[in-house]
Structure formats: structure tokens, C-alpha cells
Amino acid sequence: MKNFILSIQHLLAMFGATVLVPILTGFDPSVAIFCAGLGTLIFHLCTKGKVPVFLGSSFAFIPVVISANQISNGDRAFAQGGIIIAGLIYVILSFLIKFIGIDKIKKYFPPQVTGAMIAVIGLNLLPSAIDMAIENLMISIITLSIAILINVYGKGFIKQLGILLAVTSGYIISLIFGEVDITSILNANLFQIPNFTLPKFSLEAIIIIAPIVIAVFMEHVGDMTTNGTVVGKNFIEDPGLNKTLLGDGLATIISGLIGGPANTTYGENTAVLAITKNYNPSLLRFTAIYAILLSFIGVFGAFLQSIPSAVMGGISIMLFSMIAFIGAKTIKDSKCFKNKRNLIIIASILIIGIGTSYLGNKGISIGIPITSNVSITGLSLAAIVGLILNRIINNKEFKTSK
């Protein structure tokens, strides 16, 4: 019974963020929950069951998936194809790390590049959150306020449930004011197979989505380091970063194949480990099984689909702002901004990442043309420019690190 309760805690911790991603990007939340569970089991298989990690929907992919959906006229199957290629890049990176070494790979992903990219991701997401919030400002403000209050004043596990509690409160308030359409819930079957879909591939979607791996790679390294610090082990060395990245990549590929969002290791579950002091990886595997079972409950899926946009907008404003803050904190903590060369890199990524996305919404496309219909722009362009600029401007550091 104790292990069951501990596993349910992990399920609750990942739940709010994991279902938010598919709701914002058009994926089926039940499929996302299924993929989170299956992806976690795949991860544990790749890492020989040594790492107490749960995989959930990645926030980093939200803006690029939304962009891919727009150019595909709402057909998210093309975004699935881009997610599969991103997962394949993870796998390739895992083999490079094994044969070349993490130190030689990491130098291409310094904080002035990854921190700026993470900040751009959050800032690009904020307008969509605001658009959802203004559908009912009162409900959005209440939801956001509850989330902030729990985040600031909440203690222990209650704080980890902040997203879930805020969304639940917003949903109840929406019900009271008649803002929820419960027709789909009343008509839903108790048991229902998630809406699995096959991917489609297009050069446009791949170019938009794949470069986001630049930011997510260092996020993975950070998560593995944090998880190891909490548990008291070095997971970068054992089972090895190449194996943890392989697990993340394969989980993302499988998710893309069946209609789910990209997966990533979840800091929420690491926080639960720190609170409970129970680091048994088998707990996370049981959590994964419970998530898979939950995805087949039709009423649950219908409930998720009925959450009002205003509620999701309110919680998203906080979450997306936090993503931008994490990017800024990455830059601050590394002190890379004290180097004028790095400031050029940071500014370039911010200007290109935010500026071209803004102009794109105004019908002005600025990017690198690939074909007559395909251009590299927005986050993808910012990531590529950041990598190239860093390699050129900080050339001496690359030479001395050989």
C-alpha cells in the first residue's frame, strides 16, 4: 500500500504539466498520458532500471509544434514526423557521446546558447497564453492567482501539485459560471482506446521542429545532474549520459509514431523524490503503468478536453514565464553574460527568435530559404545562428579544449 501511494504521488506530480502540452498543441491528452507511461518504461529499460525518472510531455516543443500545425493546415500528423526526427537526433547524440565523450559535445551547447534558447521558447509561448486568457479574464486571473499563491506559499507536496490544484479550482469556478460544456463527458464511454494516429513527414515540419533539440539536450543534462544530486549518485557516469539520452530519444520516437508529444525527463518527479526520500526506481515504473491504464478511461479524456481555454491560459502565463525565467537564470548563474562576445550571441538569439516569429505573425517571413515553400525561421533559425556564432566568436575556447 505504501508503494502504491508513493507511485500515485508521482502520477499526480507529472499530471498537470503532461496534459497541458497536448491541450495547447492539439494532441490527444489520453495519448500523451499513454506515451508518458510507455516512454518511462522504455527509458528504464535503456538505463537498466537504475535512474528514478519519469518522462512527460516536453514544454520546449510547444511553439515549434504549433508552428508546424499552422503550416500543415492543422494536420498534427506532420508535427509527429518532426518529433520523430527530433527523437532520432537524440539517439544520434547518444552514440556520439558514447564514442566521442560528453565534454567535446557539451562545448557546442554552452549557457549563452542554451539559456538564450530556453528564454526565447518561453517568450514565444506567452502570446498564445494571453490569447487564451482573454477569453474570460476573470477566470484566467483567478486560476493564475491560485497557481502563484501555491507556488509562493505552498509547502512540501502541496507545492508540487500547484498546477493541478490551480486548474481544478479554475475548472470548478468555470462550472459555476456555466463556462464548461460537459456534453462530451456525459457521452463518453468509461473505457476507450486513446486516439492513436500515424505520422506524416514534410520538410517544413522537420526544419521547424528538429533544431529545438539544441536547447532540450542541455535540459536533459541538467535534469540528470539534478536527479543524481537528489539521489546521491552520478547518473551521468552510471548508467551513463549516452544511455539516458538514448532512452529519452527512443521514448520521443515512439510517442511521435503513435500520436503523442515529445517526451522529456520531469523535474516535478525529481522534486517528489527529494520530498519523500524514497529513491526506488521501481516506484516510477509502477507510476508509468498506472498512467497507461488511466489513458484508457474515456471519461478522463473527455474531461481533459472540456477544460476551458481561459483556465489553461491562466496557468500557461505562469508556466511560460517560468520557462523564460529559467533561461535567464541559466545565463545569470553561468556568468557568461560578463563576456562581451557572449552578449552578442545572446542578443542575436533573442532578436532572431522573437523578432522573426513576431514578423511571421504579421505576414513577413525572414529566414533561410530551403525550397520555394520552405524557410528556416523563428526558433530554428535562432538555434542555428546561435551555434554558428558561438563556434566563430569563441573559436579560441574550442581550440584550447581539444
Side-chain angles (χ1 to χ4, degrees), residues 181-190 192 298-299 302:
D181 183 2
I182 62 173
T183 304
S184 60
I185 300 175
L186 296 175
N187 295 332
N189 297 320
L190 180 59
Q192 184 172 302
V299 175

Side-chain angles (χ1 to χ4, degrees), residues 66-401:
I66 291 174
S67 296
N69 287 342
Q70 289 173 345
I71 66 168
S72 303
N73 297 318
D75 189 348
R76 66 175 183 273
F78 289 102
Q80 291 177 231
I83 288 170
I84 291 171
I85 300 301
L88 183 60
I89 295 174
Y90 286 151
V91 174
I92 293 171
L93 278 173
S94 73
F95 286 110
L96 286 174
I97 290 170
K98 179 176 177 61
F99 292 108
I100 298 176
I102 180 61
D103 291 334
K104 291 183 179 180
I105 298 293
K106 281 177 67 176
K107 67 183 179 181
Y108 286 92
F109 301 88
Q112 62 265 26
V113 174
T114 55
M117 277 301 300
I118 292 169
V120 168
I121 290 169
L123 293 172
N124 267 294
L125 286 169
L126 272 173
S128 63
I130 294 171
D131 287 342
M132 289 188 294
I134 60 177
E135 291 190 17
N136 191 316
L137 274 176
M138 182 191 72
I139 291 174
S140 297
I141 291 171
I142 292 173
T143 304
L144 175 61
S145 300
I146 293 171
I148 293 173
L149 287 172
I150 293 174
N151 187 61
V152 174
Y153 298 106
K155 302 294 183 182
F157 190 61
I158 293 297
K159 189 171 184 177
Q160 300 307 314
L161 296 180
I163 295 174
L164 182 62
L165 293 174
V167 171
T168 301
S169 300
Y171 190 88
I172 292 172
I173 293 168
S174 298
L175 273 174
I176 294 172
F177 285 94
E179 295 293 324
V180 181
D181 183 2
I182 62 173
T183 304
S184 60
I185 300 175
L186 296 175
N187 295 332
N189 297 320
L190 180 59
F191 298 103
Q192 184 172 302
I193 297 175
N195 184 30
F196 298 117
T197 57
L198 293 174
K200 298 177 183 177
F201 294 89
S202 71
L203 184 60
E204 293 98 327
I206 291 171
I207 288 174
I208 290 171
I209 293 174
I212 207 68
V213 170
I214 293 170
V216 180
F217 169 71
M218 289 308 296
E219 180 187 44
H220 178 90
V221 175
D223 285 344
M224 287 300 97
T225 302
T226 303
N227 194 279
T229 301
V230 169
V231 176
K233 296 181 180 180
N234 188 343
F235 295 130
I236 300 295
E237 293 184 0
D238 182 26
L241 185 63
N242 61 304
K243 291 183 179 177
T244 63
L245 195 62
L246 176 65
D248 206 338
L250 291 177
T252 294
I253 290 172
I254 296 300
S255 185
L257 282 171
I258 61 178
N263 280 324
T264 188
T265 47
Y266 256 32
E268 288 91 337
N269 294 93
T270 299
V272 175
L273 294 173
I275 293 168
T276 63
K277 309 297 182 185
N278 191 319
Y279 311 133
N280 187 351
S282 67
L283 290 176
L284 282 304
R285 293 193 284 274
F286 280 119
T287 303
I289 293 170
Y290 299 149
I292 291 171
L293 294 175
L294 185 63
S295 70
F296 285 89
I297 299 178
V299 175
F300 167 73
F303 162 73
L304 293 178
Q305 297 284 9
S306 71
I307 299 175
S309 294
V311 173
M312 303 313 297
I315 194 68
S316 296
I317 288 173
M318 185 187 81
L319 290 172
F320 298 160
S321 298
M322 288 176 67
I323 292 173
F325 171 77
I326 290 169
K329 189 173 186 297
T330 299
I331 295 170
K332 176 180 177 294
D333 291 348
S334 67
K335 299 181 180 179
C336 63
F337 64 92
K338 293 186 176 181
N339 185 317
K340 291 183 180 179
R341 294 190 301 271
N342 291 338
L343 281 177
I344 295 173
I345 298 168
I346 294 168
S348 298
I349 292 174
L350 290 172
I351 292 170
I352 294 171
I354 299 171
T356 57
S357 294
Y358 173 80
L359 292 173
N361 293 332
K362 299 295 182 180
I364 303 172
S365 179
I366 298 177
I368 303 173
I370 302 299
T371 69
S372 58
N373 298 319
V374 183
S375 296
I376 298 175
T377 186
L379 291 173
S380 299
L381 180 61
I384 293 170
V385 170
L387 279 178
I388 295 173
L389 265 182
N390 181 68
R391 183 65 179 84
I392 295 172
I393 294 176
N394 291 318
N395 186 48
K396 290 182 179 180
E397 293 184 14
F398 282 82
K399 288 181 177 180
T400 56
S401 63

